[in-house]
Amino acid sequence: MLTGKPWRPEAVIQFCGSQIACFCLGGLIIGLLDKSGLTAFKLPDGIGAVIVATLSFQGAAWALIGVFLWQHQTDWREFFGLRDPGLARALRLAGITVVCLLPVLWALQAAAVWTLTRLGWPPNDQEAVQLFENAHSVWGRVYIGLFAVVLAPVAEEFIFRGMLFPFVKQLGFPQLAWFGVSGLFALIHLDAAIFIPLFFLALTLTWLYERTGNLLAPIAAHALFNAANLAMLAGESHWQK
């Protein structure tokens, strides 16, 4: 839930520093294994590289969340709103929001792709499809689904909506909390074609968090958004065969 106590600056800095260190370590491991000639770690879409990359960022975040909450004497159930009597209402609002939002986000992405192509910078919009196709084993696809629907939404919503958004607000910069943190969320995905859709998504998830006071609402919406996109990618992969 939206915390009534301020986040300690040193805890936020420690979390962010540890997160960056884990991500860099993961990149180093992937680079070394790629150079060793292991096919599973061949960049950019080897399944081994994907697993290490996701675990070094989103996976590491899960461990760091526990430390962060312990530093603030807050347990998981309290922070994530599992004790909230309005939880069912918050989850319903999350579902309705995603149903209304998906066509808008897909339209924004199509417009971004068209614009970039017209500017002579056509995006490689097939990377996600190729990644899904290259996960030849059932377990590889299961992992990608688990990552997209569970691992990533919890980790990213904690970082951006649960920690950074209220922290920047408590520093006295509410507009920066809304727009700066949302921009950072979109930027870390490193894809120009989806920057604007993800920025709009981040603003909506922030609104959902503010409206419900429950972090599970944006987590659920984020998970549904990823699941819908994963289903679309699976459909594209099927029809391309």
Side-chain angles (χ1 to χ4, degrees), residues 6-224:
W7 293 143
R8 293 162 47 192
E10 66 274 16
V12 174
I13 294 172
Q14 180 183 358
F15 182 99
C16 294
S18 300
Q19 185 75 78
I20 293 171
C22 289
F23 182 71
C24 292
L25 178 61
L28 177 62
I29 292 173
I30 292 171
L32 291 174
L33 292 175
D34 179 30
K35 289 185 180 299
S36 71
L38 292 177
T39 304
F41 290 89
K42 184 175 179 57
L43 295 173
D45 52 10
I47 189 60
V50 171
I51 291 174
V52 173
T54 53
L55 290 181
S56 67
F57 186 79
Q58 287 87 352
W62 277 64
L64 295 172
I65 288 170
V67 176
F68 186 86
L69 295 182
W70 172 78
Q71 290 174 320
H72 293 88
Q73 298 182 333
T74 301
D75 65 40
W76 287 72
R77 287 180 296 175
E78 177 186 356
F79 180 79
F80 285 96
L82 291 172
R83 297 193 180 105
D84 183 5
L87 176 59
R89 179 185 61 83
L91 294 179
R92 283 197 301 271
L93 181 59
I96 294 170
T97 300
V98 171
V99 170
C100 296
L101 189 63
L102 273 173
V104 177
L105 296 179
W106 286 339
L108 286 173
Q109 182 175 355
V113 170
W114 181 86
T115 302
L116 290 171
T117 301
R118 295 279 292 181
L119 292 174
W121 187 18
N124 182 8
D125 58 355
Q126 295 299 312
E127 281 187 12
V129 176
Q130 292 171 3
L131 174 61
F132 192 80
E133 288 179 339
N134 288 339
H136 298 294
S137 70
V138 173
W139 290 112
R141 295 196 172 193
V142 167
Y143 176 78
I144 292 173
L146 181 65
F147 163 75
V149 180
V150 179
L151 193 65
V154 172
E156 293 176 9
E157 289 311 304
F158 171 85
I159 293 171
F160 293 98
R161 254 62 64 185
M163 182 182 69
L164 292 180
F165 173 69
F167 178 67
V168 176
K169 275 184 69 177
Q170 82 185 37
L171 292 178
F173 303 101
Q175 291 186 339
L176 182 62
W178 275 87
F179 297 101
V181 173
S182 295
L184 181 62
F185 171 83
L187 187 63
I188 66 164
H189 291 82
L190 300 176
D191 190 334
I194 60 173
F195 178 85
I196 293 177
L198 288 183
F199 180 67
F200 192 79
L201 171 66
L203 289 175
T204 304
L205 294 175
T206 303
W207 169 83
L208 195 58
Y209 185 37
E210 286 270 83
R211 178 67 180 268
T212 64
N214 193 314
L215 191 61
L216 281 180
I219 288 174
H222 193 155
L224 289 172

